[in-house]
Amino acid sequence: MCQPANLQQSVKKEGIYGVLPYMAPEVLRGYQYTKAADVYSFGIIMNEFLSEEIPFNDIPHDEFLAIKICKGLRPTISKDVPKLLVDLIIKCWDAKIKNRPTTKELYQLLKKWYDEIKYIDSEDGEDGDNSKIYFQIKEYDKIRKEKFKNRSIEDKPNSFQTHPQAFYTSRLLNFKNLPKPVNSSELSSFQFSSDTSYTAQSTSANPISECLDVQLSELELNEICQDSEHNIE
């Protein structure tokens, strides 16, 4: 799905194929797809499912976005998403490949949480107060029910509007001199926030929303490209 079906019959073009919002920053820089890049994409899909937001649907999918992703920009995480799941999503998004979980680690952790929730439910909530994931999922379900209860029919079309230059089909991408991938300071503070209540941790998602509003001028873009020439591996 990351290249043309008739690749063998066509002239190989410089660049890489994919859907920009789901691609790991190192892939955007021209590196080959790896299992770690798939884990990054899994984190994007996981957040899309939980936050009910299509990644970067309101901005053009161009070189400006590719630069922002390499500089640490990530999709908005809904403040309703359970903290443990938020931490896992952000870990999948880490700019450093070695810091991302493996598929085996993802499977083992998600299965552990699933079994824990399933067991507590089967015991009529016994020991539910002692389970972080159980408590957070139950809070998430309550918030979702209220959200859907209060959502009017007129509100639904607006949430699915996309920018005319937002593309969600695989295409050839060939960006030059993208900066070395780094993690956003906003994401780091969000991920490693202290263990207070679930509600307090959830509201710290606002900095992520704010970083989506960053607009780079053409002058700033040129400065970033010039700086990146000294950081390219």
Side-chain angles (χ1 to χ4, degrees), residues 75-87:
T76 304
I77 300 178
S78 171
K79 65 180 181 179
D80 307 329
V81 177
K83 176 65 169 58
L84 288 174
L85 297 181
V86 169
D87 287 345

PDB file of all heavy atoms in Angstrom, residues 75-87:
ATOM      1  N   PRO A  75      -0.539  14.662  15.840  1.00  0.00           N
ATOM      2  CA  PRO A  75      -1.977  14.954  15.844  1.00  0.00           C
ATOM      3  C   PRO A  75      -2.490  15.282  17.243  1.00  0.00           C
ATOM      4  O   PRO A  75      -1.887  14.906  18.247  1.00  0.00           O
ATOM      5  CB  PRO A  75      -2.598  13.650  15.324  1.00  0.00           C
ATOM      6  CG  PRO A  75      -1.526  13.003  14.525  1.00  0.00           C
ATOM      7  CD  PRO A  75      -0.244  13.349  15.238  1.00  0.00           C
ATOM      8  N   THR A  76      -3.605  15.974  17.290  1.00  0.00           N
ATOM      9  CA  THR A  76      -4.233  16.320  18.561  1.00  0.00           C
ATOM     10  C   THR A  76      -4.733  15.067  19.263  1.00  0.00           C
ATOM     11  O   THR A  76      -5.336  14.195  18.645  1.00  0.00           O
ATOM     12  CB  THR A  76      -5.418  17.269  18.332  1.00  0.00           C
ATOM     13  OG1 THR A  76      -4.975  18.423  17.627  1.00  0.00           O
ATOM     14  CG2 THR A  76      -6.047  17.688  19.649  1.00  0.00           C
ATOM     15  N   ILE A  77      -4.475  14.973  20.543  1.00  0.00           N
ATOM     16  CA  ILE A  77      -5.021  13.890  21.364  1.00  0.00           C
ATOM     17  C   ILE A  77      -6.169  14.459  22.173  1.00  0.00           C
ATOM     18  O   ILE A  77      -6.012  15.450  22.884  1.00  0.00           O
ATOM     19  CB  ILE A  77      -3.957  13.305  22.309  1.00  0.00           C
ATOM     20  CG1 ILE A  77      -2.781  12.750  21.510  1.00  0.00           C
ATOM     21  CG2 ILE A  77      -4.562  12.200  23.178  1.00  0.00           C
ATOM     22  CD1 ILE A  77      -1.659  12.203  22.377  1.00  0.00           C
ATOM     23  N   SER A  78      -7.317  13.830  22.089  1.00  0.00           N
ATOM     24  CA  SER A  78      -8.481  14.300  22.840  1.00  0.00           C
ATOM     25  C   SER A  78      -8.214  14.217  24.334  1.00  0.00           C
ATOM     26  O   SER A  78      -7.588  13.274  24.816  1.00  0.00           O
ATOM     27  CB  SER A  78      -9.707  13.454  22.488  1.00  0.00           C
ATOM     28  OG  SER A  78     -10.793  13.768  23.357  1.00  0.00           O
ATOM     29  N   LYS A  79      -8.672  15.214  25.067  1.00  0.00           N
ATOM     30  CA  LYS A  79      -8.465  15.223  26.522  1.00  0.00           C
ATOM     31  C   LYS A  79      -9.246  14.106  27.209  1.00  0.00           C
ATOM     32  O   LYS A  79      -9.020  13.839  28.398  1.00  0.00           O
ATOM     33  CB  LYS A  79      -8.876  16.581  27.100  1.00  0.00           C
ATOM     34  CG  LYS A  79     -10.368  16.889  26.970  1.00  0.00           C
ATOM     35  CD  LYS A  79     -10.679  18.250  27.561  1.00  0.00           C
ATOM     36  CE  LYS A  79     -12.176  18.555  27.456  1.00  0.00           C
ATOM     37  NZ  LYS A  79     -12.496  19.866  28.036  1.00  0.00           N
ATOM     38  N   ASP A  80     -10.145  13.434  26.479  1.00  0.00           N
ATOM     39  CA  ASP A  80     -10.937  12.354  27.073  1.00  0.00           C
ATOM     40  C   ASP A  80     -10.210  11.016  27.063  1.00  0.00           C
ATOM     41  O   ASP A  80     -10.621  10.085  27.756  1.00  0.00           O
ATOM     42  CB  ASP A  80     -12.262  12.190  26.311  1.00  0.00           C
ATOM     43  CG  ASP A  80     -13.027  13.495  26.184  1.00  0.00           C
ATOM     44  OD1 ASP A  80     -12.902  14.329  27.103  1.00  0.00           O
ATOM     45  OD2 ASP A  80     -13.718  13.683  25.176  1.00  0.00           O
ATOM     46  N   VAL A  81      -9.153  10.886  26.269  1.00  0.00           N
ATOM     47  CA  VAL A  81      -8.476   9.602  26.115  1.00  0.00           C
ATOM     48  C   VAL A  81      -7.783   9.221  27.423  1.00  0.00           C
ATOM     49  O   VAL A  81      -7.097  10.052  28.021  1.00  0.00           O
ATOM     50  CB  VAL A  81      -7.447   9.655  24.969  1.00  0.00           C
ATOM     51  CG1 VAL A  81      -6.699   8.331  24.863  1.00  0.00           C
ATOM     52  CG2 VAL A  81      -8.141   9.973  23.650  1.00  0.00           C
ATOM     53  N   PRO A  82      -7.937   7.975  27.877  1.00  0.00           N
ATOM     54  CA  PRO A  82      -7.298   7.528  29.119  1.00  0.00           C
ATOM     55  C   PRO A  82      -5.798   7.776  29.117  1.00  0.00           C
ATOM     56  O   PRO A  82      -5.122   7.574  28.112  1.00  0.00           O
ATOM     57  CB  PRO A  82      -7.610   6.029  29.153  1.00  0.00           C
ATOM     58  CG  PRO A  82      -8.899   5.909  28.407  1.00  0.00           C
ATOM     59  CD  PRO A  82      -8.818   6.932  27.315  1.00  0.00           C
ATOM     60  N   LYS A  83      -5.271   8.219  30.267  1.00  0.00           N
ATOM     61  CA  LYS A  83      -3.868   8.595  30.397  1.00  0.00           C
ATOM     62  C   LYS A  83      -2.927   7.461  30.002  1.00  0.00           C
ATOM     63  O   LYS A  83      -1.916   7.695  29.327  1.00  0.00           O
ATOM     64  CB  LYS A  83      -3.599   9.026  31.840  1.00  0.00           C
ATOM     65  CG  LYS A  83      -2.141   9.353  32.156  1.00  0.00           C
ATOM     66  CD  LYS A  83      -1.663  10.573  31.378  1.00  0.00           C
ATOM     67  CE  LYS A  83      -0.317  11.073  31.876  1.00  0.00           C
ATOM     68  NZ  LYS A  83       0.752  10.086  31.830  1.00  0.00           N
ATOM     69  N   LEU A  84      -3.203   6.228  30.415  1.00  0.00           N
ATOM     70  CA  LEU A  84      -2.322   5.114  30.080  1.00  0.00           C
ATOM     71  C   LEU A  84      -2.243   4.898  28.571  1.00  0.00           C
ATOM     72  O   LEU A  84      -1.185   4.575  28.034  1.00  0.00           O
ATOM     73  CB  LEU A  84      -2.791   3.827  30.775  1.00  0.00           C
ATOM     74  CG  LEU A  84      -2.565   3.773  32.294  1.00  0.00           C
ATOM     75  CD1 LEU A  84      -3.202   2.518  32.882  1.00  0.00           C
ATOM     76  CD2 LEU A  84      -1.083   3.811  32.623  1.00  0.00           C
ATOM     77  N   LEU A  85      -3.368   5.088  27.886  1.00  0.00           N
ATOM     78  CA  LEU A  85      -3.383   4.940  26.433  1.00  0.00           C
ATOM     79  C   LEU A  85      -2.674   6.115  25.763  1.00  0.00           C
ATOM     80  O   LEU A  85      -2.012   5.944  24.741  1.00  0.00           O
ATOM     81  CB  LEU A  85      -4.817   4.816  25.925  1.00  0.00           C
ATOM     82  CG  LEU A  85      -5.597   3.579  26.414  1.00  0.00           C
ATOM     83  CD1 LEU A  85      -7.004   3.556  25.828  1.00  0.00           C
ATOM     84  CD2 LEU A  85      -4.857   2.303  26.035  1.00  0.00           C
ATOM     85  N   VAL A  86      -2.817   7.297  26.341  1.00  0.00           N
ATOM     86  CA  VAL A  86      -2.107   8.471  25.817  1.00  0.00           C
ATOM     87  C   VAL A  86      -0.594   8.247  25.880  1.00  0.00           C
ATOM     88  O   VAL A  86       0.134   8.507  24.916  1.00  0.00           O
ATOM     89  CB  VAL A  86      -2.485   9.741  26.619  1.00  0.00           C
ATOM     90  CG1 VAL A  86      -1.555  10.903  26.250  1.00  0.00           C
ATOM     91  CG2 VAL A  86      -3.931  10.129  26.345  1.00  0.00           C
ATOM     92  N   ASP A  87      -0.118   7.746  27.019  1.00  0.00           N
ATOM     93  CA  ASP A  87       1.318   7.494  27.171  1.00  0.00           C
ATOM     94  C   ASP A  87       1.810   6.497  26.130  1.00  0.00           C
ATOM     95  O   ASP A  87       2.914   6.646  25.580  1.00  0.00           O
ATOM     96  CB  ASP A  87       1.612   6.965  28.568  1.00  0.00           C
ATOM     97  CG  ASP A  87       1.487   8.047  29.637  1.00  0.00           C
ATOM     98  OD1 ASP A  87       1.449   9.239  29.268  1.00  0.00           O
ATOM     99  OD2 ASP A  87       1.430   7.714  30.824  1.00  0.00           O
TER     100      ASP A  87
END
